[in-house]
Amino acid sequence: MHLTELPSWKALWSHFTHARDWHMRQLFEADPQRARTFWLEHCGLRLDYSKNRITTQTMTLLLQLAREAGVAEGIAAMFAGERINTTEHRAALHVALRNRSDQPMRIDGEDVMPKVRSVLERMAAFASRVRSGQWLGYTHQPITDVVNIGIGGSDLGSLMVCQALRAHAHPRLDMHFVSSVDSAQLKETLRRVHAETTLFIIESKTFTTQETLTNAHTARDWFLRRAQEPQAVARHFVAVSTNLKAVSDFGIDPSNMFEFWDWVGGRFSLWSAIGLPIMLSIGEHNFLELLEGAHAMDLHFRDAPLERNLPVVLALLGIWYINFFGAGSHVIAPYDQFLHRLPAYIQQLDMESNGKRVTREGRPVDYETAPIIWGDSGINGQHAFFQLLHQGTHISPIDFIGSLDSRGSLPGHHEILLANMFAQAEAFLRGRDAAEARAELAVQGLAPAEVERLQAFKVFDGNRPSNTLLLDRLDPRHLGALIALYEHKIFVQGLVWGLNSFDQWGVELGKQLAQAILGELRDELPPAARDASTTRLIELYRRQRTQPC
Ligand code: G6Q
């Protein structure tokens, strides 16, 4: 049945006519157990979702929505290796990449686990040689720098995890990530490394991506100018791809290629060979811990009842705000400097998965889908964009993410960090009403007229929803669980909205047009008929190339 026809959807709308007027201050006053009721723990992750505009009745209706929308069946289909990516006729079986049990995982009857394990073993053997210093460059020196060349799903995951787990990084290996075709990034990186001791990893699922291949060719030319001998490439270039032919056409020995498969979506690929930079940086043991954490979350997601299922609950809360309150965006605010790339990572995961306007059947939706995901380090955000979150006209639910463990922190710092995180969540919940604002101003000894004039600016409505996610500690296992939590949350939302969360056709149009425009910028193609604005921009560039300003 169509989403908006479901009984639970209609019941939620009728429930919303009351819920929109609730203030969370009253919800907390009315129910002293609230912080216990709306609390879930699993895999070393604690979710406090009591600071939401919900009651138990709201959750009952949202869970009914999940049941009527077929969430349980969708989860089962994913784990069964069904081709749930219907536009590309592919399974989305990234859970197999971190299946640490001895159970098979099948696609069309074939158990994919033997090949998953075999690639993991090759990665581990290679990583161990590089890390131990056995793998030598063309001048017989150990590797000191790893440059990952890739973009989107072939960049963000490894970059985010390597930064998050910097405390576990190998002391000799400096990790660098080059994604942009703006040569500034590659130039800057090459300036900092030496050909003799640098390992390049070219990561591309398709091995056709313009930005990655351009950077890869430039890096190889740079390397050969220094090494002077083509055989040296084999000691310094490895590839991660699904496209063996394109990798060997590029000149990388197939024995230096680490494979993955079409059933691994780019943005879900850090668990595959795409995670090679992660394994090089943190080692096999820690990489397996990352997989273990994700696997624990997978089992929880597959087996826990919907009402105690962390990804399902987070997904339903999101739907409550997006579809009923009209919240167009969602903020990710990590209170951990090492997690500062997490918002960007989740941005791709969510917006590329559910930024869709037609259902799996190709029918336009008549409800909102993915919100705009944004965010940054929470402690920095407090001094910047949090103003809008507190007193602006938009309502953006916020995920506060922090860890309980202060080990590794300088004395006193971790408490200040957590105090701020808790205080912000409290402020978003309670706000400050006019009476409180007046009282605060009066204490400062201001004249009554001035108190009256200023109070309007000092009022905070509060009632702004947030989730608090606390990790026991930021380590490979907890990070694995955290990432898998978001992957599955997004999948559940896609299921409720009836979307295919695993394709990304929106990325295509710009790529095709860029190829055509490139031909014109280089005078290789005649000007095509296009809009006046684009034509003018192309002409401007071509003119200035012959007559620089
Ligand atoms: C991810 C997307 C996209 C992709 C990049 C790189 O899900 O499909 O971000 O990862 O476009 O693609 P290649 O790995 O094929 O170079």
Side-chain angles (χ1 to χ4, degrees):
M1 201 190 288
H2 189 69
L3 178 64
T4 57
E5 302 294 316
L6 295 176
S8 53
W9 187 264
K10 292 178 181 167
L12 276 161
W13 269 114
S14 128
H15 179 69
F16 174 70
T17 56
H18 310 288
R20 70 176 159 214
D21 298 325
W22 297 337
H23 196 292
M24 283 192 280
R25 278 194 193 203
Q26 288 141 15
L27 297 179
F28 271 89
E29 278 159 22
D31 177 8
Q33 290 302 312
R34 190 178 168 83
R36 287 177 191 278
T37 309
F38 300 120
W39 177 278
L40 283 173
E41 286 186 26
H42 203 76
C43 312
L45 265 54
R46 295 139 213 270
L47 169 66
D48 175 1
Y49 63 104
S50 61
K51 293 190 182 82
N52 280 293
R53 291 162 76 168
I54 55 167
T55 59
T56 48
Q57 169 70 353
T58 320
M59 289 313 294
T60 303
L61 291 172
L62 286 168
L63 287 157
Q64 196 184 326
L65 174 68
R67 289 189 191 96
E68 289 174 6
V71 166
E73 293 77 3
I75 296 173
M78 180 168 87
F79 281 88
E82 286 179 28
R83 294 181 183 268
I84 56 176
N85 177 354
T86 44
T87 56
E88 297 177 299
H89 311 290
R90 292 174 182 167
L93 202 58
H94 38 284
V95 289
L97 300 167
R98 60 242 188 168
N99 172 19
R100 305 299 299 153
S101 76
D102 54 6
Q103 297 299 304
M105 298 207 80
R106 298 184 209 278
I107 299 175
D108 295 338
E110 185 206 339
D111 181 10
V112 300
M113 290 316 301
K115 49 189 186 186
V116 167
R117 289 193 195 103
S118 148
V119 172
L120 259 179
E121 278 163 23
R122 284 191 60 223
M123 288 167 66
F126 175 70
S128 153
R129 292 181 68 196
V130 174
R131 288 167 59 85
S132 66
Q134 269 175 283
W135 180 282
L136 300 175
Y138 70 98
T139 57
H140 308 289
Q141 297 179 65
I143 299 298
T144 57
D145 292 86
V146 177
V147 178
N148 189 76
I149 297 181
I151 195 165
S154 299
D155 165 69
L156 267 175
S158 293
L159 168 64
M160 183 274 285
V161 173
C162 283
Q163 298 206 345
L165 299 178
R166 227 179 303 168
H168 301 262
H170 191 287
R172 195 188 64 248
L173 294 177
D174 271 341
M175 310 302 295
H176 311 265
F177 291 84
V178 175
S179 57
S180 173
V181 76
D182 177 346
S183 62
Q185 197 184 19
L186 183 59
K187 253 164 67 183
E188 184 68 11
T189 305
L190 295 179
R191 214 170 45 78
R192 297 205 304 262
V193 302
H194 303 282
E196 299 89 325
T197 55
T198 299
L199 176 74
F200 292 91
I201 310 178
I202 316 299
E203 298 210 323
S204 176
K205 181 173 171 181
T206 54
F207 229 76
T208 57
T209 303
Q210 187 188 45
E211 295 89 332
T212 299
L213 288 190
T214 305
N215 281 328
H217 278 109
T218 305
R220 193 182 52 183
D221 293 348
W222 173 90
F223 174 80
L224 281 172
R225 276 200 303 279
R226 282 152 185 83
Q228 300 288 334
E229 36 178 313
Q231 313 89 283
V233 168
R235 314 292 312 157
H236 294 268
F237 281 77
V238 299
V240 179
S241 184
T242 58
N243 189 343
L244 180 61
K245 179 169 181 319
V247 168
S248 60
D249 288 352
F250 176 84
I252 292 182
D253 186 337
S255 67
N256 279 351
M257 169 177 149
F258 297 86
E259 191 191 4
F260 66 117
W261 309 276
D262 71 356
W263 45 267
V264 182
R267 56 192 171 277
F268 303 95
S269 64
L270 71 86
W271 322 98
S272 72
I274 287 287
L276 187 61
I278 304 174
M279 201 192 267
L280 284 165
S281 177
I282 67 175
E284 179 191 6
H285 169 76
N286 284 322
F287 189 79
L288 294 182
E289 282 287 298
L290 185 78
L291 300 188
E292 291 281 359
H295 179 56
M297 183 56 72
D298 293 343
L299 296 184
H300 165 76
F301 179 54
R302 190 191 66 185
D303 300 334
L306 297 185
E307 64 277 12
R308 283 195 283 114
N309 196 310
L310 275 163
V312 172
V313 167
L314 272 188
L316 294 174
L317 291 167
I319 284 172
W320 180 230
Y321 296 115
I322 296 159
N323 296 114
F324 297 89
F325 286 85
S329 83
H330 188 104
V331 177
I332 307 292
Y335 277 67
D336 191 310
Q337 201 52 33
F338 282 179
L339 286 178
H340 78 112
R341 293 299 288 167
L342 185 70
Y345 177 78
I346 294 176
Q347 184 175 64
Q348 173 182 25
L349 204 56
D350 200 323
M351 292 169 74
E352 212 168 41
S353 296
N354 289 339
K356 314 272 165 76
R357 51 170 282 286
V358 294
T359 64
R360 285 191 292 272
E361 293 73 35
R363 278 200 304 272
V365 297
D366 52 359
Y367 42 83
E368 300 296 329
T369 60
I372 294 162
I373 302 287
W374 58 292
D376 198 351
S377 140
I379 200 83
N380 291 336
Q382 284 177 211
H383 298 269
F385 59 82
F386 272 35
Q387 165 62 36
L388 177 146
L389 299 175
H390 280 294
Q391 288 188 304
T393 52
H394 301 278
I395 293 198
S396 284
I398 304 158
D399 288 353
F400 289 99
I401 303 172
S403 59
L404 291 171
D405 187 15
S406 58
R407 263 178 299 171
S409 177
L410 297 171
H413 285 240
H414 198 65
E415 286 77 20
I416 297 176
L417 194 63
L418 281 193
N420 273 280
M421 182 171 105
F422 297 162
Q424 288 295 324
E426 182 188 23
F428 283 119
L429 149 68
R430 66 190 317 278
R432 182 163 57 197
D433 64 23
E436 289 166 336
R438 283 192 189 98
E440 199 172 289
L441 289 163
V443 169
Q444 294 168 25
L446 296 178
E450 187 64 355
V451 167
E452 216 35 50
R453 191 181 74 81
L454 286 180
Q455 60 83 20
F457 301 96
K458 298 269 188 173
V459 166
F460 287 62
D461 296 331
N463 211 19
R464 312 232 162 176
S466 69
N467 297 307
T468 299
L469 258 171
L470 282 170
L471 281 60
D472 284 351
R473 72 194 72 84
L474 179 59
D475 64 8
R477 190 175 277 256
H478 290 87
L479 182 65
L482 180 71
I483 301 168
L485 167 65
Y486 276 96
E487 285 181 353
H488 296 323
K489 170 204 160 177
I490 291 160
F491 174 48
V492 170
Q493 292 188 329
L495 287 170
V496 172
W497 291 323
L499 307 174
N500 174 4
S501 300
F502 301 104
D503 60 10
Q504 55 283 317
W505 299 104
V507 180
E508 297 298 318
L509 178 62
K511 281 191 188 178
Q512 287 164 10
L513 295 179
Q515 276 302 345
I517 291 178
L518 180 62
E520 289 184 41
L521 293 183
R522 289 179 173 167
D523 294 329
E524 291 162 1
L525 287 176
R530 47 176 103 249
D531 67 88
S533 161
T534 311
T535 302
R536 191 153 191 259
L537 293 169
I538 294 171
E539 277 169 4
L540 175 69
Y541 177 79
R542 292 177 51 179
R543 236 191 354 261
Q544 85 77 40
R545 213 182 37 182
T546 45
Q547 306 152 9
C549 31

